[in-house]
Amino acid sequence: MDNCVVRQAVKDLRSDTVIGYELMIQQDENSLYNSSSDSVAANAMVAFLSENSNRIFKEKRTFMTFTPALLFRNTPKIFDKDKIVIQIEDNIVIHSLATILISKYREAGYHFAINDFQFTPKYFSMLEYVDYIKIDISGELSEMRMRSISNVIDMAHGFQKEFIATGVNTKETYEYAKQLDADYVEGNYVSGATATKTSKIEFMEGNLYQLIVEITKEEPDVEMLEEIITRDASLTYALLKMANSAYFAVHNETTSVRQALVRVGISQLKQWVYLLSFESKKGGSDSTSEEMLKTSFLRANFAAELAKKLKKLPITASEAYLMGMFSTLEYMIDAPMEEILYEIPIVKEVKDALIYQEGICGRLYQLILHYERAEWAETKEAAEELGIHTNQLAQIYMECVEEVNDIWDNVVGLREESNKEGSTKENLPEETNLEASL
């Protein structure tokens, strides 16, 4: 399959949590949805979804647009009906067999969303089957268009349907969605809006719990410690900052987690972990900061895998991993990116990429952002410039999603186990001699 596929978060405006993801598929002249043969498109799509179903539909609800051919082929039945929302568009609504087709899935327990709802009899005939109504609110909106959108929302709520505002790509449209009383929002701005800058670093409790478990073993596994720390942007940043502090009389800069672990040593690392656990007990991270940590972890994996495909990249795959991991730090620390990166020794190419998006590394970072935002034309241009085949992007991305989901399930499970059993942290010392160095 040559088309690009990415997930885009759908956020609940009231609880400020991500309730699911839309599977965004490239839509241009080469799109699966615009193929000259819907049957050809369906064949390609079924093959891709069958191969990647465990990667895509593993955690929260997934919204996905299906063509008539995909529905007739019973493609949605590949997936758990509670994990997928079937999105329908005009090509389904106007189909002569639309009502029969949709009612069959509805009776089987599937959920539906209707894209870009219109005030026409055909769309109203679909209302009894759908759970969500979606309308794109991006771009300049005329007064008439704004009234129409407001009327659709009032109608949706009147029929006990939930409204999703899509195309929320700017702060202005995000605020407009709130004024409209939308239930959910989706768009490029949403991932940033799920993050609130804080005065202290937020750690994922599950990662910290795993770190505590490993560090308290009689012989801690350094490779396992490295694995746990490198999947959490905040832990990675804090460790590198500590390892390069005056406390350790640094002469040569420590630029990797492995080097930092060796420099700090197990004894001092235990004290550092105890301090972090005490600080975490005071605050704790919420679901939105967890979502941002997950985004950083996915970007890190994606960047590292793409770096392996580039022959002339001036940074290693592990440095590309740090670039992706640190790309969200300005949302976790109340400071500009330039100031944050000044405090840790990472290579100039990574700093320039994250601060200015300059150089070949900056272009790689742009590629990741374009792909994440489903900006397909820009993605294709950046990929061609870097010499990456676009037909590789979707598979690499999905493999990274699967890895992140697997690890996250483990992390969240451990966190819940920790909360049930009573935190190990309660008996940990409240102060250590490292406090001044953090």
Side-chain angles (χ1 to χ4, degrees):
M1 177 178 146
D2 294 339
N3 299 79
C4 299
V5 180
V6 71
R7 304 185 316 169
Q8 192 166 80
V10 178
K11 192 180 89 164
D12 188 324
L13 274 174
R14 293 176 177 80
S15 65
D16 207 36
T17 58
V18 172
I19 59 102
Y21 299 91
E22 179 175 358
L23 196 65
M24 307 288 289
I25 299 173
Q26 177 185 349
Q27 297 196 48
D28 56 24
E29 66 276 7
N30 299 314
S31 172
L32 291 173
Y33 294 137
N34 294 323
S35 171
S36 58
S37 170
D38 192 30
S39 178
V40 172
N43 288 336
M45 192 58 151
V46 169
F48 178 79
L49 292 176
S50 299
E51 184 178 346
N52 292 280
S53 60
N54 290 334
R55 294 168 179 160
I56 301 168
F57 303 91
K58 190 167 183 180
E59 43 170 351
K60 299 180 181 180
R61 186 165 285 183
T62 296
F63 294 73
M64 180 181 163
T65 301
F66 286 81
T67 66
L70 290 172
L71 291 180
F72 277 115
R73 287 165 179 256
N74 290 321
T75 308
K77 293 189 176 180
I78 297 173
F79 317 110
D80 183 340
K81 62 179 180 295
D82 294 321
K83 290 287 189 179
I84 187 171
V85 176
I86 300 172
Q87 294 185 162
I88 57 176
E89 294 186 331
D90 196 59
N91 58 0
I92 295 289
V93 175
I94 65 174
H95 200 285
S96 59
L97 299 176
T99 302
I100 297 173
L101 191 62
I102 300 305
S103 62
K104 181 186 70 171
Y105 282 103
R106 188 67 178 180
E107 288 171 6
Y110 285 85
H111 300 274
F112 283 86
I114 192 165
N115 288 334
D116 295 321
F117 184 88
Q118 301 172 28
F119 280 105
T120 65
K122 278 286 187 181
Y123 277 82
F124 274 102
S125 69
M126 293 288 105
L127 272 182
E128 64 177 293
Y129 305 111
V130 303
D131 304 278
Y132 306 94
I133 291 175
K134 304 179 73 175
I135 287 185
D136 189 336
I137 64 170
S138 63
E140 293 291 332
L141 298 175
S142 66
E143 187 175 337
M144 182 180 295
R145 176 62 174 161
M146 292 170 70
R147 281 201 305 269
S148 176
I149 293 172
S150 181
N151 290 336
V152 170
I153 294 176
D154 289 341
M155 179 274 301
H157 290 160
F159 282 93
Q160 286 76 52
K161 311 299 179 183
E162 295 185 297
F163 182 84
I164 303 175
T166 66
V168 180
N169 302 324
T170 65
K171 182 178 180 181
E172 289 72 26
T173 51
Y174 185 80
E175 293 300 325
Y176 177 53
K178 290 200 293 187
Q179 291 174 18
L180 287 170
D181 196 28
D183 299 292
Y184 308 101
V185 287
E186 176 188 342
N188 298 338
Y189 181 78
V190 173
S191 60
T194 59
T196 302
K197 287 193 177 183
T198 60
S199 58
K200 69 183 185 70
I201 302 176
E202 296 285 356
F203 305 99
M204 177 68 177
E205 284 186 25
N207 287 328
L208 191 55
Y209 178 72
Q210 282 190 310
L211 199 56
I212 292 170
V213 170
E214 188 60 40
I215 200 66
T216 52
K217 289 180 179 178
E218 187 172 338
E219 293 185 10
D221 186 330
V222 175
E223 288 188 2
M224 180 58 69
L225 291 172
E226 181 183 20
E227 180 183 328
I228 295 167
I229 292 170
T230 54
R231 63 177 178 239
D232 191 313
S234 303
L235 286 174
T236 302
Y237 176 80
L239 178 61
L240 287 176
K241 186 177 176 182
M242 179 181 69
N244 286 280
S245 68
Y247 181 86
F248 289 97
V250 174
H251 298 293
N252 299 313
E253 290 184 334
T254 302
T255 59
S256 71
V257 170
R258 177 60 68 91
Q259 289 177 346
L261 289 172
V262 172
R263 171 161 285 168
V264 172
I266 296 299
S267 177
Q268 299 286 14
L269 187 67
K270 284 182 180 180
Q271 296 182 57
W272 176 67
V273 171
Y274 293 163
L275 175 61
L276 292 184
S277 64
F278 170 68
E279 290 297 324
S280 176
K281 188 168 59 176
K282 293 179 182 177
S285 60
D286 58 25
S287 59
T288 56
S289 59
E290 285 182 17
E291 186 65 28
M292 190 50 59
L293 284 171
K294 195 171 183 179
T295 296
S296 68
F297 188 30
L298 179 55
R299 286 181 183 177
N301 280 270
F302 198 30
E305 291 305 313
L306 290 177
K308 295 173 185 177
K309 305 291 182 183
L310 299 177
K311 297 179 180 178
K312 296 182 180 180
L313 195 67
I315 60 174
T316 64
S318 60
E319 288 167 336
Y321 183 96
L322 285 180
M323 180 177 74
M325 182 62 76
F326 286 163
S327 64
T328 61
L329 276 180
E330 63 182 336
Y331 294 110
M332 301 180 193
I333 303 172
D334 191 13
M337 182 67 80
E338 189 170 7
E339 183 180 323
I340 294 168
L341 297 182
Y342 176 78
E343 299 191 48
I344 55 174
I346 57 176
V347 295
K348 183 178 184 299
E349 288 85 355
V350 170
K351 287 186 177 180
D352 288 346
L354 291 174
I355 297 170
Y356 310 112
Q357 296 188 20
E358 290 182 350
I360 187 172
C361 298
R363 197 60 172 141
L364 174 59
Y365 180 44
Q366 287 177 340
L367 171 60
I368 292 167
L369 295 181
H370 287 317
Y371 193 94
E372 186 179 280
R373 296 166 184 166
E375 296 169 347
W376 304 129
E378 293 84 352
T379 294
K380 183 179 180 181
E381 181 182 340
E384 289 177 350
E385 188 175 320
L386 290 167
I388 298 175
H389 295 295
T390 54
N391 61 353
Q392 296 177 307
L393 291 176
Q395 204 60 46
I396 293 172
Y397 179 83
M398 284 303 163
E399 288 169 359
C400 292
V401 167
E402 180 182 35
E403 181 177 357
V404 169
N405 284 342
D406 286 344
I407 292 175
W408 218 257
D409 287 345
N410 187 32
V411 167
V412 172
L414 283 170
R415 181 183 63 181
E416 291 173 351
E417 179 184 331
S418 168
N419 291 338
K420 281 182 182 178
E421 295 177 357
S423 176
T424 308
K425 299 178 286 187
E426 293 184 6
N427 298 319
L428 298 176
E430 295 190 0
E431 296 181 358
T432 77
N433 61 348
L434 289 182
E435 188 164 3
S437 70
L438 290 176

